[in-house]
Each structure stands twice: as C-alpha cells, then as structure tokens.
Amino acid sequence: MALSPMMQQYKEIKGTYQDCLLMFRLGDFYELFFEDAEIASRELELTLTGRACGLKERAPMCGVPFHAADNYISRLVKKGYKVAICEQMEDPATAKGIVKRDVIRVVTPGTLDFDQGSSRNLFIASLEISGGKAYIAYSDVSTGELYALETDCGSKDDSLGSELAKIAPGEIILTGKTKEKLNEILDRDGRSYYFNVVDDSYYRKSTGERVIKEHFSVGSLLPLGIEGRNGLISAIGALLMYLTDTQKQDPSQITELVLNDPKGHMILDRATVRNLELLETLYDKNVNGSLLGVLDRTKTAMGGRLLRRYVLEPLTDPDEIDRRLDGVQDLVDDEDVLDVVISSLRKIYDFERLSARVSSGRANAKDLIALKVTLQALPDLHQSLATCRSEVLKDIDQKLGDFSGLADAIERAVVDDPPFVITDGGIIKDGYDEELDGLKESIADAKAWIAGLETTEKERTGIKTLKVGYNKVFGYYIDVSKAASANVPDDYIRKQTLVNNERYITPELKEKEGLVLSAEAKINALEYSIFSRLRDEIKPYIPGLQRASSAVGALDVLASFAQVSISGGFVRPEVNAGKAIRITEGRHPAVEKMIGREMFVANDTEMDQEGQSMLMITGPNMSGKSTYMRQTAVIVLMAQMGCFVPAKEAEIGVVDRVFTRIGASDNLAYGQSTFFVEMSELANILRNATDRSLIILDEIGRGTSTFDGLSIAWATVEYLCRDDLRIRTMFATHYHELTVLDRKYPCIRNLSVDVSENGSDIVFLHRIREGAASKSYGIHVAKIAGIPYQVRRGAQAKLRELEAGEAAGKGTGISSEQISIFDAVGDQEPEIRYAPNPYEQVIDSLRAVNVNDITPMKALNIIDSLQNQVRDIDTEYDEDRGGEL
C-alpha cells in the first residue's frame, strides 16, 4: 500500500532533516510521526496515538498545540535534540490539494531563544584551531550579540579551556579535524559540550570573507578589525552561515561584531572560578552564597547578563577601572538619583531580546507592548542622569537615545492587552486604520444580533438552559439539552447530536454567521498586515535600540554595585599600575553576608611584588586561613570589576590573572586522583603565572606522603620566590618546616591565625597575626567534628610520643600515612592504645601554677578552669563510652 499524499509530503521533508525531530503543522497542532513521535512522547510525557497513513499499520503520532509549542520545543532542545519546525505555507481554507509546507526554522541547543527575560546568555560558538591558536566566534541569537577572540591553545595551556568554560556555549560548531584537535587539547575534566560537526566548506576563508562582507554591508574587513586574521574570518563566517541555514533567514539582529581582547581583561581559569565561588557555591551549586549572589541587585535581564560577564572578565586597565568606579561613586553619593534609576529600571523589559525578535520577524503583539513600556521608561532615566558628573554615566545617558516617536506609534496602533496569536485579530486599536474600522462597522449589527440571540431565544422558546455558542468546526449554534429538545421551534435545524445535548441552527443565524465570518477573516488578515507593517517600520531602529539596551544593562550593573556598596559598607578602592596589594580590615562579602557583619573578623593584607611578595600562612583548620586568602582574591576581583570593596581601605596594584589551588577534588571518571588533580592545577599555575599575577595556594602536597608533599611544597615556594619572578602569593600550609624559609628569602612573611588557649579550651579567633603557628590543633578540630573520644585519646597519646621523639632529636622516622593509632597483629582485632589517665592533663595544668604568683582572684579563676576541664572530660567519656572511668 502507498503512503497517503500528506504522509508522502511528511516523508519527503523529513528526509532533508533526518538529524532533527520534525514538528509538522496540521491545523492547530504540531504533529510528530513514527520514530520522532516515540521519542517526543517519551521525553515530553505525551500520549502516543496513531494516524492512518495509507499503510496497513497506523503511524505512531503525538502532537502539541501550536500556540504552546515553544515550551515543548525548549524542553526537547535542552535534552540535546534538534527540532525542525515545519509550517503551513498557505491558508488551508484557500489551498488546492495538499497544503504546501516547509521548514521555517531549525532550533538547536545553541539557537534556543524562547526563554525571554533570562539573565543568562545562551551562546552558540564556532571554533577553528590552527598553528597553536584557537579562534572563537560566539553569538546569542536572542540578543543579537556577536563576539570573536583568539587565544593560545596547546596540550599544556589551559587558555582555550578557560575561555570555553567562561562562554559556556550551548552548542559548538566545528569541523571533524578541529574536533580531534580539541579532544587532545582540552583537559578531560568531565565538562560536556554539545558539538555539531559541520562540513569543511563552512570554514573556507574565501567563503567566510564573502559572508561577513555581505552581512555587515562592508567592502572591506578592515573596519571590523579582522582584515588578514584568517582564523577569525573562518570562525565568524562559519557561524553566520550556520545561523542562516538553521534560522532560514539572515540573522539581521546581529548588527555589530565585538572583538574581545583577553589582554584587556583578567584571565580566570576554571579552577579559580570554582574555588573562589564566583558564580555558584562549591558544594550545593547555588548562586546564593557566591560572589555573583552578593553583587546581583540588578533589575533587568540585560543587567543580569552583563554582571555575570563583569564577574568573569575583570578589567586590567586602571583608567577603565576608575571610569567604572566614578560611575558607582556618583550613584553612591546621590541616593535620590539612585532611587529614581532603580525605580525606572524595574519598568524595563528585556528589550535587547525584544529588539532581536522584531529584527527576526518573530515578535508578537505582546512583545511590542513590552517594547513600548520600556521606551516610555527611558525619559525618567535621562532626567535622573542629567546631574551626574562621571564620564561613564554621561556616555550611558547619550546612548539611551530618544525613542518617543516609536513608543507613540506603538501606543496608537496596538491594544494594551493583545492576544499572543497575531493572526486571529484583536490586535489593532479602533481608529488606527479607516479600512479596518469600516469592516468592523459592517458586521457590528450582525454581531450585536448574535450577542442578543441567546436572550431572545430563551424568551421565545421558554427553554431556560438554551445557550448560543461557537467553535471553529461548526460555527455558531444553539445548544439545547435533550430533555428540552421537544420544545424547540420548527425553524430550528439540527446541526449536531451530543450525549446530553442537541445543537441547532436557524436560517437567520446561518445568514448572520456567513456575514460575520467572512468579514472577520478579512479583518484578521488586515490586522495581521497592519501589524507586520508596523513591525517592519521598527527595524531601522534596531541598532539604536541595541545600543540603548546595552547602556541600560551597564547602568543596571553600576546601580547594583552602588546598592551593595551602600548596604555593605564597602569603600572605593585605589587601583593603580603598581604591584602592591594593601587592604585594611578586609572582609569576605559572601561569608559576611551569611554570618552578619558584626560577627565577621576583619583582617589586613599587605604584599608587594618588590618586597614581601609571599605570605606564608600557618594555623589550624577551621580557623579562617582559607577565608582570609579567598577574601583577598575576591576584593582584588571586585576592585578590578569597578565595584567598591568590603574593607576600610584598599590599594590594588592591577592583577592580570588570579590562580587558585584550594581544597581536595578528584576526577574518578577519567582516572584522575585527588593528588593528580592537585598537581595538574599547580602545573598550570606555575607555567602561566606572571609577575602581575596573584596566586592562592592552600595545602600544596597534602595528597601524598609527608616527605613527598613537603618536598613539593618547599620547591614550589622557592620557585615562586626567585628574584627574577617574585609572584604575589598567599601560601597556606600545615608543613611548619616551611616557615624557616623566611630566613633565606626576605620576600616571605610568616603569618598565622591567632588561637586562644585556656587549659583544654581552645578558641579560634580568626585574626591574622605576625609569625608562624606552633601547632595545628588537628585533634581539637577532630573533637569539633565529632570523632569518638577513644580515637582522640589514642591520637593524643601518639602525638605526645612523636613530639617526645622530636624533642629528643630522634625524629619520627616514619611518614604521616604510616602513623596509626591501631596496631594489628596477624588476624587479631586491632587493639586501641589509650592515653594515660585522662585527668593527667588537669594535673599538669595544676602543676604549672606558680604558687608565688597566686592572688585570691587568680585562685578562683584557676579552680573554675580546672572544674570546667574535669566536667568536659566526664561528659565526653560518658557520651562516647557510656561507662565510668
């Protein structure tokens, strides 16, 4: 048996888009057939039905309403599928034979633009690798942004991986050869990307040059800044070609090419973004608790997206940084202006994406209303910025432009609350178009007659349950329950029989229906034509609208910085070309927000590449070493973003890169141990750090034996302290042996975290002081963590034994992993070796009292301290052992 004509049409179109799920428009639904239907029904949890197709067996089928398709398409694409949207290309009511259909768009993971108002960009990237360089072009089709950059790449260089991690593209297009090179270059860290391998022809330099010139309407690539840069030309050209192929039209929303120069921004690798929790927290992957969560007071989607970019791309030019800081200062100094700015920003929709939808011809009437409301809010921003003195705010004010005429045009034409569907009428206001008004008047009497028909017929027939209704299949009808059907007049003509009702028409109703439906079809067609014309009239404004939306985003970020600076008590940093970092009473903004400013212990930081470039920090775990180091790095990043910082004073000599090696992590999926990951990250730091960098190292060498780890840490310190390098470094360690290196290297400054000891009571003060720590208090931390008492007693006994050996000059003679509080003999159960009498510590404290220095008050304090120690021992023993001593 042959396929039906409609299914033959489906099969023919599907053959061209075999790698896509084909959504085939049938009336008010997009239908999927055969294997596509089975996939969609499973992924979308839709009912799988069937349709006669001319074969013996029915074709599997499922579908979604066309007016709600965006959500379903988005869900499929986010699961990694490509979706081809096949639309009816002619009106089914006037078509002869099978309605013509064609694919109007292919939606891929990198071109999904249904998520309006999102504060995150969705980029699609094009990648070319050649001669040790990687060339990346990337675009957000929903906003019209297009960027390009080139970076170094190689098996021992993480720049490419860091750039891709920062861009976080939803899709990467590239050739098969480039894909092979990329696999060799990128660290296998588990990060997954959606790759779309395209034909080599996309990356021909001659083709790319032609495509770029045509798109930007230029005769030379010189004005775009890419003349002679063949790698960039290939990457940009391939991306524009791919977007044209998938969107089935020129991506006209892309009006500008921005070249990203990594030299103008701080480079942050993946480890640093993760370890400093810039975008999300380490463990629960939550924005709250991250630096972004602290800084984000933005009110618009444009501001949210731009803030994320600022966090990932701090500036390195002191003049540009000061320019931003001047803008923040203006808003901090005049809170009345700031309040007006915030109030105006709240009224602004995502008109960066609205402009792109208008340009691509996909904007509906609600989009235009949102654009109108946005444009009407701009004059208030103009007025509020008039008194600002900073260059950056004056530039923003100038870019906002004047769109009052465009806002008025939309106001006159489009109703305030239009429907989503732009082909069903109800969009254009009365009085806007004479022809449209005439058509509406021509059926006004007929519509009024139909509207009053239900009341009239109830009175005439006496049937109280009678109703007048309408649907697209049967038109207008009179609905009567079967119980009352015997009472219908003779002029009622049965139209449809339902289970409990009968539906009728009358000759007069049929006449009015014909008049109304004929006129309404003309009205809807005319309204759609008027709307399309209005949408096209907006297109010349697109470049100006995009400039204005970018300016609003920048203003939103500066206002966000001003708000957090005021509420957090932040100060303006001095950022200069020097190499010193001096912070007075610095605080970690995220930790402070979590525990409260009054509870946070502020600390100073002072380091200079010319003087003391390395801070060697010792002290117990949980005492605040990691927070102290992270807050220094975060303050540097905030300053170079152009934000005020949580400190009393701050001077920041510009940093080109921040490197961090913090915490323990592994990558078991690729056979990479914790220690291997640690050494890989350290290798990346030592290879790529410059004398302008800031390095944060926490517990280097702890993943291997004591002597191995100590040797690696020792050599790392010496490498970073070389006279020809001297990189600004914060180095936290439990290897107290390293603290003697300050005698050999004057650039090392020993710091430690202050601890208060009162007998057995130990309090971490979180205050940084000069000098090295004498011990690590690991057993005390074990107590806090809940390690059983008998284990801690055994550990304390072994610790005393080892310390006694060291004091006698014997040394331990064993590595840390050979030290155990358990001794197993043969197959016997391990025997726990307990410390001596647990009250011995109390007795020792008593023996240490100098009786010649006793006063009544001191005696009372000593007795109170001894009682507390005894009480702690009794309590711990009872809890952990459940018996008596």
Side-chain angles (χ1 to χ4, degrees):
M1 296 178 64
L3 286 170
S4 65
M6 192 274 289
M7 292 306 295
Q8 288 180 23
Q9 183 188 51
Y10 168 84
K11 281 286 189 181
E12 183 179 341
I13 296 173
K14 174 64 180 176
T16 308
Y17 297 92
Q18 294 185 24
D19 61 339
C20 302
L21 298 179
L22 181 64
M23 284 194 159
F24 194 77
R25 179 73 180 271
L26 283 176
D28 289 341
F29 283 80
Y30 284 115
E31 304 287 4
L32 298 97
F33 298 101
F34 300 107
E35 185 181 356
D36 286 3
E38 294 171 352
I39 293 173
S41 67
R42 180 179 68 250
E43 299 288 4
L44 301 175
E45 299 179 347
L46 300 174
T47 301
L48 186 66
T49 61
R51 182 185 179 94
C53 61
L55 302 176
K56 288 184 178 180
E57 296 182 356
R58 293 162 62 84
M61 181 184 80
C62 69
V64 299
F66 84 97
H67 61 273
D70 287 1
N71 176 54
Y72 294 102
I73 295 170
S74 178
R75 288 167 59 187
L76 287 171
V77 171
K78 287 176 180 177
K79 290 175 179 285
Y81 296 99
K82 295 166 65 176
V83 178
I85 304 173
C86 183
E87 192 56 78
Q88 295 172 164
M89 307 307 291
E90 55 185 347
D91 187 348
T94 59
K96 295 180 180 179
I98 297 295
V99 176
K100 292 181 181 178
R101 294 179 175 86
D102 202 355
V103 171
I104 61 166
R105 186 183 176 199
V106 176
V107 186
T108 69
T111 59
L112 181 66
D113 65 352
F114 300 142
D115 192 10
Q116 298 299 308
S118 170
S119 60
R120 293 190 62 172
N121 282 105
L122 175 61
F123 288 117
I124 177 172
S126 167
L127 179 63
E128 170 78 328
I129 296 177
S130 175
K133 292 279 187 180
Y135 305 91
I136 309 172
Y138 57 103
S139 174
D140 184 336
V141 297
S142 70
T143 63
E145 296 165 90
L146 174 62
Y147 303 95
L149 63 89
E150 64 179 73
T151 186
D152 295 327
C153 67
S155 58
K156 296 184 178 181
D157 193 303
D158 193 44
S159 298
L160 174 57
S162 295
E163 290 296 336
L164 289 178
K166 182 173 66 179
I167 297 166
E171 178 180 2
I172 299 175
I173 65 168
L174 69 180
T175 64
K177 293 179 181 177
T178 299
K179 177 74 159 48
E180 292 176 3
K181 294 177 183 178
L182 186 64
N183 289 338
E184 296 174 2
I185 293 169
L186 284 183
D187 289 336
R188 298 191 300 171
D189 63 342
R191 180 177 291 275
S192 60
Y193 296 105
Y194 180 94
F195 293 106
N196 205 328
V197 177
V198 298
D199 190 80
D200 291 358
S201 60
Y202 275 81
Y203 285 86
R204 289 196 189 113
K205 185 246 180 183
S206 57
T207 305
E209 188 170 341
R210 174 181 56 79
V211 169
I212 295 169
K213 287 179 178 179
E214 290 177 357
H215 179 83
F216 290 104
S217 300
V218 294
S220 165
L221 298 182
L222 196 60
L224 300 176
I226 57 174
E227 183 74 46
R229 303 173 74 173
N230 295 345
L232 286 181
I233 294 170
S234 296
I236 297 166
L239 182 57
L240 291 174
M241 286 173 59
Y242 181 80
L243 292 178
T244 301
D245 289 347
T246 56
Q247 307 306 293
K248 302 300 177 182
Q249 61 181 12
D250 178 59
S252 56
Q253 69 269 33
I254 298 175
T255 60
E256 184 180 5
L257 169 64
V258 178
L259 295 180
N260 276 354
D261 183 4
K263 295 178 182 178
H265 299 95
M266 189 188 296
I267 299 174
L268 301 175
D269 60 26
R270 287 166 288 181
T272 298
V273 172
R274 180 185 68 246
N275 292 334
L276 295 182
E277 298 182 304
L278 298 185
L279 302 180
E280 60 186 16
T281 54
L282 265 172
Y283 296 107
D284 57 11
K285 307 300 180 185
N286 199 326
V287 174
N288 292 330
S290 69
L291 179 60
L292 180 62
V294 171
L295 298 180
D296 194 357
R297 300 278 189 91
T298 57
K299 303 297 182 289
T300 69
M302 296 87 71
R305 291 192 292 269
L306 186 61
L307 173 60
R308 187 182 181 87
R309 204 174 312 148
Y310 278 14
V311 170
L312 293 175
E313 297 180 349
L315 300 172
T316 54
D317 183 345
D319 292 336
E320 283 298 309
I321 295 168
D322 266 340
R323 192 168 178 271
R324 281 188 194 170
L325 289 170
D326 286 341
V328 177
Q329 187 77 63
D330 256 0
L331 297 173
V332 168
D333 290 345
D334 195 334
E335 292 192 42
D336 290 337
V337 169
L338 179 60
D339 289 342
V340 175
V341 168
I342 293 170
S343 177
S344 299
L345 289 172
R346 286 195 176 104
K347 303 173 187 176
I348 292 178
Y349 289 84
D350 190 352
F351 75 118
E352 192 170 38
R353 283 182 168 154
L354 291 173
S355 301
R357 286 176 65 83
V358 170
S359 181
S360 62
R362 288 199 289 271
N364 59 32
K366 287 189 177 293
D367 290 332
L368 294 200
I369 293 300
L371 180 60
K372 177 195 74 174
V373 172
T374 294
L375 298 180
Q376 289 173 338
L378 296 186
D380 288 340
L381 284 180
H382 272 302
Q383 187 174 358
S384 65
L385 296 178
T387 59
C388 293
R389 300 181 301 276
S390 63
E391 182 183 327
V392 65
L393 291 183
K394 288 180 179 179
D395 184 51
I396 287 172
D397 185 32
Q398 188 272 328
K399 288 180 179 177
L400 289 176
D402 181 3
F403 299 97
S404 55
L406 177 56
D408 289 343
I410 299 173
E411 170 67 29
R412 291 195 311 272
V414 183
V415 298
D416 293 334
D417 187 20
F420 281 100
V421 181
I422 58 178
T423 55
D424 291 349
I427 295 174
I428 305 301
K429 284 183 175 179
D430 294 338
Y432 183 76
D433 184 89
E434 289 186 8
E435 183 182 357
L436 180 61
D437 290 343
L439 283 171
K440 289 180 179 179
E441 287 180 13
S442 71
I443 59 169
D445 292 341
K447 293 189 78 172
W449 183 89
I450 293 173
L453 181 62
E454 184 173 311
T455 302
T456 302
E457 289 304 298
K458 281 183 178 179
E459 293 176 355
R460 181 165 81 97
T461 64
I463 302 172
K464 302 301 183 184
T465 58
L466 180 148
K467 295 179 181 178
V468 174
Y470 172 82
N471 65 42
K472 289 186 177 182
V473 177
F474 294 104
Y476 288 99
Y477 56 83
I478 300 171
D479 185 277
V480 178
S481 65
K482 285 194 174 179
S485 60
N487 300 325
V488 301
D490 293 338
D491 61 338
Y492 276 28
I493 303 169
R494 184 179 282 106
K495 181 76 172 180
Q496 185 184 16
T497 298
L498 303 177
V499 176
N500 299 313
N501 301 70
E502 298 283 356
R503 290 179 175 177
Y504 303 89
I505 61 171
T506 66
E508 190 173 11
L509 177 59
K510 194 66 178 174
E511 178 186 348
K512 301 293 185 183
E513 175 190 83
L515 178 63
V516 169
L517 294 183
S518 174
E520 281 189 340
K522 293 179 182 178
I523 289 170
N524 293 348
L526 183 56
E527 285 205 24
Y528 177 72
S529 175
I530 293 170
F531 176 79
S532 297
R533 188 167 62 246
L534 175 63
R535 190 169 56 187
D536 289 341
E537 289 172 358
I538 298 174
K539 288 184 178 180
Y541 291 91
I542 296 299
L545 290 172
Q546 289 179 329
R547 283 193 297 272
S549 65
S550 296
V552 167
L555 177 61
D556 198 7
V557 173
L558 296 180
S560 184
F561 285 169
Q563 290 173 80
V564 297
S565 297
I566 292 170
S567 63
F570 297 174
V571 299
R572 177 171 180 165
E574 177 192 341
V575 183
N576 55 47
K579 295 183 179 179
I581 296 176
R582 297 186 179 92
I583 301 169
T584 304
E585 296 184 18
R587 315 185 304 273
H588 193 296
V591 177
E592 177 184 64
K593 184 177 180 181
M594 181 176 62
I595 68 173
R597 186 175 175 185
E598 66 282 354
M599 296 292 294
F600 192 92
V601 178
N603 280 295
D604 298 346
T605 303
E606 184 168 354
M607 55 199 312
D608 192 338
Q609 194 260 350
E610 303 296 336
Q612 291 179 319
S613 61
M614 176 172 289
L615 304 182
M616 183 79 68
I617 308 164
T618 50
N621 288 313
M622 294 182 61
S623 62
K625 300 193 306 296
S626 180
T627 298
Y628 173 61
M629 295 192 299
R630 291 177 199 234
Q631 81 184 31
T632 301
V634 167
I635 287 172
V636 168
L637 291 172
M638 290 175 64
Q640 293 189 213
M641 288 175 212
C643 183
F644 286 16
V645 299
K648 185 177 180 180
E649 293 180 3
E651 176 191 349
I652 308 297
V654 164
V655 170
D656 65 351
R657 297 188 69 160
V658 173
F659 292 97
T660 62
R661 169 56 211 168
I662 298 174
S665 61
D666 54 33
N667 194 354
L668 297 180
Y670 291 103
Q672 297 176 349
S673 68
T674 299
F675 184 65
F676 180 84
V677 172
E678 176 186 335
M679 290 298 99
S680 296
E681 292 184 1
L682 179 60
N684 175 58
I685 293 170
L686 298 180
R687 283 197 309 263
N688 295 298
T690 73
D691 61 356
R692 273 281 176 197
S693 301
L694 172 64
I695 298 176
I696 307 295
L697 296 176
D698 193 5
E699 303 302 339
I700 290 298
R702 300 298 290 181
T704 184
S705 72
T706 301
F707 297 139
D708 268 357
L710 176 57
S711 301
I712 292 171
W714 189 292
T716 299
V717 171
E718 291 193 316
Y719 177 84
L720 295 172
C721 288
R722 289 162 30 205
D723 287 338
D724 62 332
L725 196 59
R726 282 202 177 188
I727 301 174
R728 291 169 289 184
T729 303
M730 304 182 80
F731 195 107
T733 184
H734 282 289
Y735 292 131
H736 294 157
E737 296 88 342
L738 297 177
T739 59
V740 302
L741 284 171
D742 66 334
R743 304 170 193 171
K744 181 178 180 182
Y745 297 101
C747 68
I748 295 177
R749 180 185 180 197
N750 280 319
L751 300 175
S752 60
V753 186
D754 208 0
V755 176
S756 173
E757 293 188 69
N758 183 11
S760 64
D761 292 334
I762 299 172
V763 179
F764 298 154
L765 301 179
H766 305 286
R767 185 168 55 240
I768 301 297
R769 65 176 180 83
E770 292 284 343
S774 59
K775 49 188 174 179
S776 293
Y777 302 94
I779 296 175
H780 178 70
V781 175
K783 172 184 174 181
I784 297 173
I787 296 296
Y789 180 56
Q790 58 265 43
V791 176
R792 300 201 312 274
R793 289 178 63 194
Q796 189 70 49
K798 173 55 74 174
L799 179 61
R800 288 178 178 174
E801 179 185 327
L802 296 174
E803 288 177 341
E806 288 288 348
K810 298 176 182 178
T812 63
I814 52 176
S815 60
S816 59
E817 61 267 37
Q818 292 172 300
I819 299 174
S820 174
I821 62 170
F822 299 102
D823 282 343
V825 180
D827 296 328
Q828 297 178 14
E829 289 293 319
E831 175 188 359
I832 300 178
R833 300 193 315 197
Y834 293 102
N837 185 339
Y839 293 111
E840 184 177 313
Q841 184 177 355
V842 180
I843 297 169
D844 288 343
S845 298
L846 190 57
R847 285 171 178 160
V849 175
N850 185 351
V851 294
N852 297 320
D853 194 31
I854 288 290
T855 66
M857 184 59 68
K858 284 186 178 180
L860 290 174
N861 288 338
I862 291 170
I863 292 169
D864 186 53
S865 174
L866 293 175
Q867 286 177 334
N868 287 335
Q869 292 181 52
V870 171
R871 188 184 304 114
D872 287 347
I873 293 172
D874 288 344
T875 301
E876 289 176 347
Y877 194 83
D878 286 341
E879 289 177 351
D880 291 330
R881 188 101 171 167
E884 296 182 359
L885 289 171

